[in-house]
Amino acid sequence: MSRHSALRQSLLSVVVALALLPAAASAERLALTAARLVDVDSGTVRNNAVVVVDGERIVDVRSDGQVPADAKRIDLGDATLLPGLIDCHVHIDGQSGDFYTEAFRRSPIDNAVKAHIYARRTLLAGFTTVRNLGSAEFIDVALRNAIQRGEVQGPRILASGLAIGATGGHVDGGTGFSPYIRFEGFSGIADGVDAIRAKVRFDVKNGADVIKFMASAGVLSEEESVGEPQYSQEEMNALVDEAHRWHRKVAAHAHGTEAIKMAVRAGVDSIEHGSFLDDEAIALMKKHGTWLVGDIYNDDYILTEFARLKYPESMLEKERKVGRTQRESFQRAAKAGVKIAYGTDAGVYPHGDNAKQFVKMTEWGQTPMQALQAATVRAAELLGRNEQVGAIRNGLFADVVAVPGNPLQDIRVMEQVSFVMKGGKVEKGAGAAP
Ligand code: ARG
């Protein structure tokens, strides 16, 4: 062996030895301290909170105020620490008013250009993980990847890619327009079992983490009804079967009672909106363990901003039918013990206002603790990510937010997130990069 190659050999063994070391401990551990912490696993509040963070993970959670000697302290004072919040239903690549009357003047490229702004707003509002349910041209996949690479500031994203639905249904942007108007580009429209299976595969191939489809009609689209089923039972069954075979969960947009029951019977993982729930639908959801993701803040925003957003009158009519009933359905589901995860449909209303729904959830059937759990540990369960996010627990990503005061006493403080850490990096508040 020449001297040269011997040197190379020993350098190589050093590199190998380094690579085999346990995940390199960061130069400096951080200790977040605050008056209290919400332990969403046990549903309790702990005082004198200390959360020790090493690299991107939580390594210790204490309630004795003791800060380890080797950790740099970030003291948040009279605040409450919570796990980074999770919104299970957003449209991070769009903003209300951008997507309806502007349909003829803008393209998905406009959305793609602006998506990073919405991602940042969402993150700084305390939402460190979101599930994006329906995106034009796979913008959500590209955004997710850019955020993962650290190139764009934003939450962790579970992306659906194209939402799937029937011709003339809630995903069909041409409904209500002249048949001569065509929108080019990728489309989530699929009719019949084979086309639906192919569309699921197309989404998966292009990076979808989750499959979203339209089981019923909608409010903000021009179908006559708001809740009629838009697929046959056979079509829904095939969609869920195909998605699950690829280990993708399924989120079904469903307002109407019949569509909800069909989707639950098909085996979807979550019902989105869930506006018209009867006793049988609630019983079916309990039996199948189906989650309810009810966007029950939306109605306030749509009704107040309707004129400015230039939606057609027919949509206002539909919103009037849905809004109140959806909240009553949510309340009955919550009381009956249906599994509930936090999801807002942000994008219909401004990104960054995601936390406004906490108040509504406590007005309509949940305790403040249940609402906080819905947006953390329960949401993580629906997403299948509870070993990574959704709680302040050893080993999880250090996704931690702080709010002033105590959200169990005044849930509105959730709208004033003052500190955001994602994966051990301070994104907002004390210690954030300027
Ligand atoms: N994206 C939904 C739809 O168009 C919004 C429903 C909003 N209304 C409500 N009450 N949640 O159907």
Side-chain angles (χ1 to χ4, degrees):
M1 199 188 276
S2 72
R3 257 185 52 209
H4 196 72
S5 66
L7 179 65
R8 241 199 353 235
Q9 191 69 33
S10 53
L11 274 178
L12 191 68
S13 44
V14 171
V15 172
V16 170
L18 280 177
L20 290 177
L21 281 177
S26 64
E28 184 175 58
R29 298 203 292 169
L30 295 174
L32 307 177
T33 58
R36 61 198 81 74
L37 164 154
V38 180
D39 180 348
V40 291
D41 285 320
S42 64
T44 58
V45 174
R46 293 162 66 176
N47 291 330
N48 302 316
V50 182
V51 179
V52 184
V53 175
D54 192 345
E56 43 176 31
R57 301 276 170 176
I58 295 168
V59 292
D60 199 11
V61 186
R62 326 173 54 101
S63 38
D64 59 4
Q66 296 295 316
V67 175
D70 66 340
K72 184 180 147 206
R73 178 175 180 168
I74 299 179
D75 182 29
L76 297 155
D78 182 25
T80 301
L81 300 181
L82 296 121
L85 306 171
I86 303 174
D87 190 332
C88 299
H89 189 141
V90 302
H91 297 279
I92 202 138
D93 55 340
Q95 186 71 82
S96 57
D98 278 5
F99 73 91
Y100 194 73
T101 50
E102 293 298 298
F104 302 104
R105 278 175 284 271
R106 295 191 193 168
S107 79
I109 297 172
D110 294 279
N111 287 352
V113 165
K114 288 166 72 176
H116 71 100
I117 300 172
Y118 307 140
R120 181 167 192 270
R121 281 184 197 154
T122 304
L123 176 68
L124 299 188
F127 288 78
T128 50
T129 300
V130 299
R131 186 173 67 153
N132 199 67
L133 293 183
S135 181
E137 312 290 320
F138 298 99
I139 296 169
D140 58 355
V141 170
L143 182 65
R144 174 197 69 198
N145 295 346
I147 291 171
Q148 251 168 25
R149 289 191 297 260
E151 296 161 351
V152 168
Q153 194 182 15
R156 305 176 194 284
I157 296 179
L158 273 83
S160 74
L162 310 172
I164 299 175
T167 296
H170 193 54
V171 286
D172 188 341
T175 307
F177 299 128
S178 154
Y180 289 89
I181 291 174
R182 299 262 153 72
F183 293 99
E184 302 285 330
F186 293 126
S187 156
I189 297 174
D191 299 301
V193 163
D194 291 346
I196 289 170
R197 286 193 186 270
K199 197 62 84 176
V200 170
R201 293 172 191 169
F202 185 69
D203 263 333
V204 172
K205 167 186 161 180
N206 290 297
D209 301 300
V210 54
I211 298 297
K212 160 84 180 289
F213 84 100
M214 306 306 180
S216 84
V219 176
L220 304 176
S221 47
E222 294 204 12
E223 310 98 307
E224 294 156 14
S225 92
V226 54
E228 289 298 313
Q230 294 193 332
Y231 272 147
S232 66
Q233 187 67 60
E234 196 192 9
E235 289 173 308
M236 293 192 203
N237 293 350
L239 185 145
V240 174
D241 177 62
E242 189 65 36
H244 284 174
R245 220 151 49 72
W246 292 90
H247 307 293
R248 298 304 193 276
K249 297 202 183 202
V250 179
H253 159 108
H255 288 288
T257 317
E258 191 50 32
I260 292 168
K261 291 179 190 174
M262 290 168 74
V264 172
R265 288 194 182 106
V268 302
D269 299 277
S270 63
I271 292 292
E272 309 297 310
H273 310 298
S275 305
F276 300 97
L277 292 174
D278 65 7
D279 290 344
E280 192 194 11
I282 289 176
L284 271 175
M285 290 180 78
K286 287 199 68 172
K287 178 171 158 225
H288 288 258
T290 318
W291 292 83
L292 175 65
V293 179
D295 56 328
I296 61 170
Y297 163 68
N298 239 342
D299 182 55
D300 280 17
Y301 181 80
I302 294 175
L303 293 184
T304 345
E305 300 293 316
F306 197 82
R308 192 177 60 77
L309 297 174
K310 302 195 187 83
Y311 290 129
E313 196 63 26
S314 60
M315 293 185 189
L316 179 58
E317 289 295 301
K318 291 200 276 181
E319 184 55 40
R320 288 203 177 111
K321 282 192 193 134
V322 164
R324 173 86 195 190
T325 317
Q326 183 191 27
R327 291 173 181 181
E328 287 163 2
S329 291
F330 182 91
Q331 187 172 47
R332 286 195 294 118
K335 295 257 142 82
V338 171
K339 298 195 286 185
I340 291 178
Y342 196 95
T344 64
D345 214 358
V348 168
Y349 69 84
H351 294 287
D353 282 356
N354 310 58
K356 289 196 171 174
Q357 192 172 282
F358 281 107
V359 176
K360 293 288 160 199
M361 288 166 72
T362 58
E363 281 170 6
W364 294 90
Q366 289 200 303
T367 64
M369 182 58 84
Q370 285 171 335
L372 296 176
Q373 287 170 322
T376 53
V377 66
R378 304 293 275 161
E381 207 183 311
L382 165 59
L383 269 40
R385 294 289 192 277
N386 45 345
E387 295 306 320
Q388 303 295 330
V389 297
I392 301 184
R393 196 194 304 142
N394 285 357
L396 267 58
F397 280 124
D399 293 358
V400 182
V401 303
V403 296
N406 184 346
L408 279 311
Q409 277 157 18
D410 177 10
I411 194 73
R412 278 183 198 278
V413 298
M414 295 308 294
E415 296 167 28
Q416 299 163 34
V417 167
S418 56
F419 172 85
V420 180
M421 169 179 273
K422 183 188 142 210
K425 180 166 177 271
V426 180
E427 306 275 3
K428 176 182 188 174

